[in-house]
Amino acid sequence: MESTEHLTQTFTERRLADAWAELQAHANNGNDLKADAYRLAFADPEFLLRRETRGIRFELEMLKPDLAQQDLGIDNTVVVFGSARVREASIAQEQLAVAEASGDAQAIARAQALLRNSAYYDKAREFARIVARYSAGCPKEDQLYVCTGGGPGIMEAANRGAHDEGALNVGLNISLPHEQSGNPYITPELCFKFHYFALRKMHFMMRAKALVALPGGFGTLDELFEVITLVQCGKAKPVPIVLFGSDYWKRLLNLDVLVEEGTISPQDLNLFTYVDDPMDAWNYILKFYALPRA
């Protein structure tokens, strides 16, 4: 005979499911969603999307990915940042052919740049493979999991590399005005969608044991400088920060100017390093933590 506690739990779960089923049926029937005072608060999207309930949404975006990763034992991650626009070489070559056929000089120049940068797709993929292979031989509590922003480009390449090795990997996607969805190589149970950039960036740091930034645009810079700032100010534990693609990063960022102008200390330039090879990036991380090489 079932215990009273179990029956109570079952009844509660049934009521919660019924609340959502009622809402889904409402939508399936083509009815407009209108305020309903009698609807359970947690099953009332109109209520949850009010400005006043923003704090609740913050908490939900914090909890959902956190609990899901806990359930799968994802405690330590290597976060890979990089451009969503970079494609693997074969696709970049096709895009260049289309641009050349159009005769549009600007389109051709953009396509040539993307083809040139397609090498970073392969390097991000290989780096993730290295991480996954190394972790496969570690105890569960010491394993490192690749984590990205969950989109296309460099992010896809890193998730793909982990996927190649059969490893769990994480994607922290963001809802944007233009359509974007998680890339197909993320472990489905670890593919999350965020509304708030701030919560998404917090999740990047919560489990990060290393961060690798490949060439990217404003989004990559935003994520990179947030990490550097948190470590510089002591708000986050020191972690290895790797700028992959020394020519790109040194052309883009002349950070010596900050030292010359006294806006950062000379030792702040030691918070990160430049590399050009996937194994060099991984060896830097191993050296940072005094871990044995594979």
Side-chain angles (χ1 to χ4, degrees), residues 219-250:
T220 301
L221 291 172
D222 175 45
E223 292 154 352
L224 171 64
F225 278 109
E226 173 142 339
V227 173
I228 292 176
T229 300
L230 289 172
V231 174
Q232 181 205 39
C233 296
K235 297 293 286 185
K237 292 181 180 179
V239 295
I241 301 171
V242 178
L243 301 186
F244 197 111
S246 57
D247 179 66
Y248 179 90
W249 289 111
K250 289 179 180 180

Coordinates of all heavy atoms in Angstrom, one line a residue, residues 219-250:
G219 N 30.8 40.2 -29.1 CA 30.4 39.3 -28.1 C 31.6 38.6 -27.4 O 31.6 38.5 -26.2
T220 N 32.5 38.2 -28.2 CA 33.7 37.5 -27.7 C 34.5 38.5 -26.8 O 35.0 38.1 -25.7 CB 34.6 37.0 -28.8 OG1 33.9 36.1 -29.6 CG2 35.9 36.3 -28.3
L221 N 34.6 39.7 -27.2 CA 35.4 40.7 -26.4 C 34.7 41.0 -25.1 O 35.3 41.1 -24.1 CB 35.5 42.0 -27.2 CG 36.4 42.0 -28.4 CD1 36.3 43.3 -29.3 CD2 37.9 41.7 -28.0
D222 N 33.3 41.1 -25.2 CA 32.6 41.3 -24.0 C 32.8 40.2 -22.9 O 33.1 40.4 -21.8 CB 31.1 41.4 -24.3 CG 30.2 41.5 -23.1 OD1 30.5 42.3 -22.2 OD2 29.1 40.8 -23.1
E223 N 32.7 38.9 -23.4 CA 32.9 37.8 -22.5 C 34.4 37.8 -22.0 O 34.6 37.5 -20.8 CB 32.6 36.5 -23.3 CG 31.1 36.4 -23.6 CD 30.8 35.6 -24.8 OE1 31.7 35.2 -25.5 OE2 29.6 35.3 -25.0
L224 N 35.3 38.0 -22.9 CA 36.7 38.0 -22.5 C 37.1 39.0 -21.4 O 37.7 38.7 -20.4 CB 37.6 38.2 -23.7 CG 39.1 38.3 -23.5 CD1 39.7 37.1 -22.9 CD2 39.8 38.7 -24.8
F225 N 36.7 40.2 -21.7 CA 37.0 41.3 -20.7 C 36.3 41.2 -19.4 O 36.8 41.6 -18.4 CB 36.8 42.7 -21.4 CG 37.9 43.1 -22.2 CD1 37.8 43.2 -23.6 CD2 39.2 43.4 -21.7 CE1 38.8 43.5 -24.4 CE2 40.2 43.8 -22.5 CZ 40.0 43.9 -23.9
E226 N 35.1 40.6 -19.4 CA 34.4 40.4 -18.1 C 35.3 39.4 -17.3 O 35.4 39.6 -16.1 CB 33.0 39.8 -18.4 CG 32.4 39.4 -17.1 CD 30.9 39.7 -17.0 OE1 30.4 40.6 -17.8 OE2 30.2 39.1 -16.2
V227 N 35.7 38.3 -17.9 CA 36.5 37.3 -17.2 C 37.8 38.0 -16.7 O 38.2 37.8 -15.5 CB 36.9 36.1 -18.1 CG1 37.8 35.2 -17.4 CG2 35.6 35.4 -18.5
I228 N 38.5 38.7 -17.5 CA 39.8 39.3 -17.1 C 39.5 40.3 -16.0 O 40.3 40.3 -15.0 CB 40.5 40.0 -18.3 CG1 40.9 39.0 -19.3 CG2 41.6 40.9 -17.8 CD1 41.5 39.7 -20.6
T229 N 38.5 41.0 -16.0 CA 38.1 42.0 -15.0 C 37.8 41.3 -13.7 O 38.3 41.7 -12.6 CB 36.9 42.9 -15.4 OG1 37.2 43.6 -16.6 CG2 36.6 43.9 -14.3
L230 N 37.1 40.2 -13.7 CA 36.7 39.5 -12.5 C 38.0 38.9 -11.8 O 38.1 39.0 -10.6 CB 35.7 38.4 -12.8 CG 34.3 38.8 -13.2 CD1 33.5 37.6 -13.7 CD2 33.6 39.5 -12.0
V231 N 38.9 38.4 -12.6 CA 40.1 37.8 -12.1 C 41.0 38.9 -11.5 O 41.6 38.9 -10.4 CB 40.8 37.0 -13.1 CG1 42.2 36.5 -12.6 CG2 40.0 35.7 -13.5
Q232 N 41.1 40.0 -12.3 CA 42.0 41.1 -11.9 C 41.5 41.7 -10.6 O 42.3 42.1 -9.7 CB 42.0 42.2 -13.0 CG 42.8 43.4 -12.6 CD 42.4 44.7 -13.4 OE1 41.2 44.9 -13.5 NE2 43.3 45.5 -13.8
C233 N 40.2 41.8 -10.4 CA 39.7 42.5 -9.2 C 39.5 41.5 -8.0 O 39.0 41.9 -7.0 CB 38.3 43.1 -9.5 SG 38.4 44.5 -10.7
G234 N 39.8 40.2 -8.3 CA 39.7 39.3 -7.2 C 38.3 38.8 -6.9 O 38.0 38.2 -5.9
K235 N 37.4 39.1 -7.9 CA 36.0 38.6 -7.7 C 35.8 37.2 -8.2 O 34.8 36.6 -8.0 CB 35.0 39.5 -8.5 CG 35.0 41.0 -8.0 CD 34.4 41.1 -6.6 CE 32.9 40.9 -6.6 NZ 32.3 41.1 -5.3
A236 N 36.8 36.6 -8.9 CA 36.8 35.3 -9.3 C 38.2 34.7 -9.1 O 39.2 35.4 -9.1 CB 36.5 35.2 -10.8
K237 N 38.3 33.4 -8.9 CA 39.6 32.7 -8.7 C 40.4 32.8 -10.0 O 39.8 32.8 -11.1 CB 39.4 31.3 -8.3 CG 38.8 31.1 -6.9 CD 38.6 29.6 -6.6 CE 38.0 29.4 -5.2 NZ 37.8 27.9 -4.9
P238 N 41.7 32.9 -9.8 CA 42.6 32.9 -11.0 C 42.3 31.7 -11.8 O 42.3 30.6 -11.3 CB 44.0 33.0 -10.5 CG 43.8 33.6 -9.1 CD 42.5 33.1 -8.6
V239 N 42.2 31.8 -13.1 CA 42.1 30.7 -14.1 C 43.0 31.0 -15.3 O 43.2 32.2 -15.6 CB 40.6 30.5 -14.5 CG1 39.7 30.0 -13.4 CG2 40.1 31.7 -15.2
P240 N 43.4 30.0 -15.9 CA 44.2 30.2 -17.2 C 43.3 30.8 -18.2 O 42.2 30.3 -18.5 CB 44.7 28.8 -17.6 CG 43.8 27.9 -16.9 CD 43.4 28.5 -15.6
I241 N 43.7 32.0 -18.8 CA 43.0 32.7 -19.8 C 43.9 32.6 -21.1 O 45.0 33.2 -21.1 CB 42.7 34.1 -19.4 CG1 41.8 34.1 -18.2 CG2 41.9 34.8 -20.6 CD1 41.6 35.5 -17.6
V242 N 43.4 32.0 -22.1 CA 44.2 31.8 -23.3 C 43.6 32.6 -24.5 O 42.4 32.4 -24.8 CB 44.3 30.3 -23.7 CG1 45.1 30.0 -24.9 CG2 44.8 29.5 -22.5
L243 N 44.5 33.4 -25.1 CA 44.1 34.1 -26.4 C 44.6 33.3 -27.5 O 45.9 33.3 -27.8 CB 44.6 35.5 -26.4 CG 44.1 36.4 -25.2 CD1 44.5 37.9 -25.4 CD2 42.6 36.3 -25.0
F244 N 43.8 32.6 -28.2 CA 44.2 31.7 -29.3 C 44.2 32.4 -30.6 O 43.2 32.9 -31.0 CB 43.3 30.5 -29.4 CG 43.8 29.3 -30.1 CD1 44.1 28.2 -29.5 CD2 44.0 29.4 -31.5 CE1 44.7 27.1 -30.2 CE2 44.5 28.3 -32.2 CZ 44.9 27.2 -31.5
G245 N 45.4 32.5 -31.2 CA 45.5 33.3 -32.5 C 46.3 34.6 -32.2 O 45.7 35.6 -32.2
S246 N 47.6 34.5 -31.9 CA 48.3 35.6 -31.4 C 48.3 36.8 -32.4 O 48.2 37.9 -32.0 CB 49.8 35.2 -31.1 OG 50.4 34.6 -32.2
D247 N 48.4 36.5 -33.7 CA 48.4 37.6 -34.7 C 47.1 38.4 -34.6 O 47.1 39.6 -34.6 CB 48.6 37.0 -36.1 CG 48.6 38.1 -37.2 OD1 49.5 39.0 -37.2 OD2 47.6 38.1 -38.0
Y248 N 46.0 37.7 -34.5 CA 44.7 38.3 -34.5 C 44.6 39.2 -33.2 O 44.3 40.4 -33.3 CB 43.6 37.3 -34.5 CG 42.2 37.9 -34.3 CD1 41.5 38.2 -35.5 CD2 41.6 38.1 -33.1 CE1 40.2 38.7 -35.4 CE2 40.3 38.6 -33.0 CZ 39.6 38.9 -34.2 OH 38.3 39.5 -34.1
W249 N 44.9 38.6 -32.1 CA 44.7 39.3 -30.8 C 45.7 40.5 -30.6 O 45.3 41.5 -30.1 CB 44.8 38.4 -29.6 CG 43.6 37.4 -29.6 CD1 43.6 36.1 -29.8 CD2 42.3 37.8 -29.3 NE1 42.3 35.6 -29.7 CE2 41.5 36.7 -29.3 CE3 41.6 39.0 -28.9 CZ2 40.1 36.7 -29.1 CZ3 40.3 39.0 -28.7 CH2 39.5 37.9 -28.7
K250 N 46.9 40.3 -31.1 CA 47.9 41.4 -30.9 C 47.6 42.5 -31.9 O 48.0 43.7 -31.6 CB 49.3 40.8 -31.1 CG 49.7 39.9 -30.0 CD 51.1 39.4 -30.2 CE 51.5 38.5 -29.0 NZ 52.9 37.9 -29.1

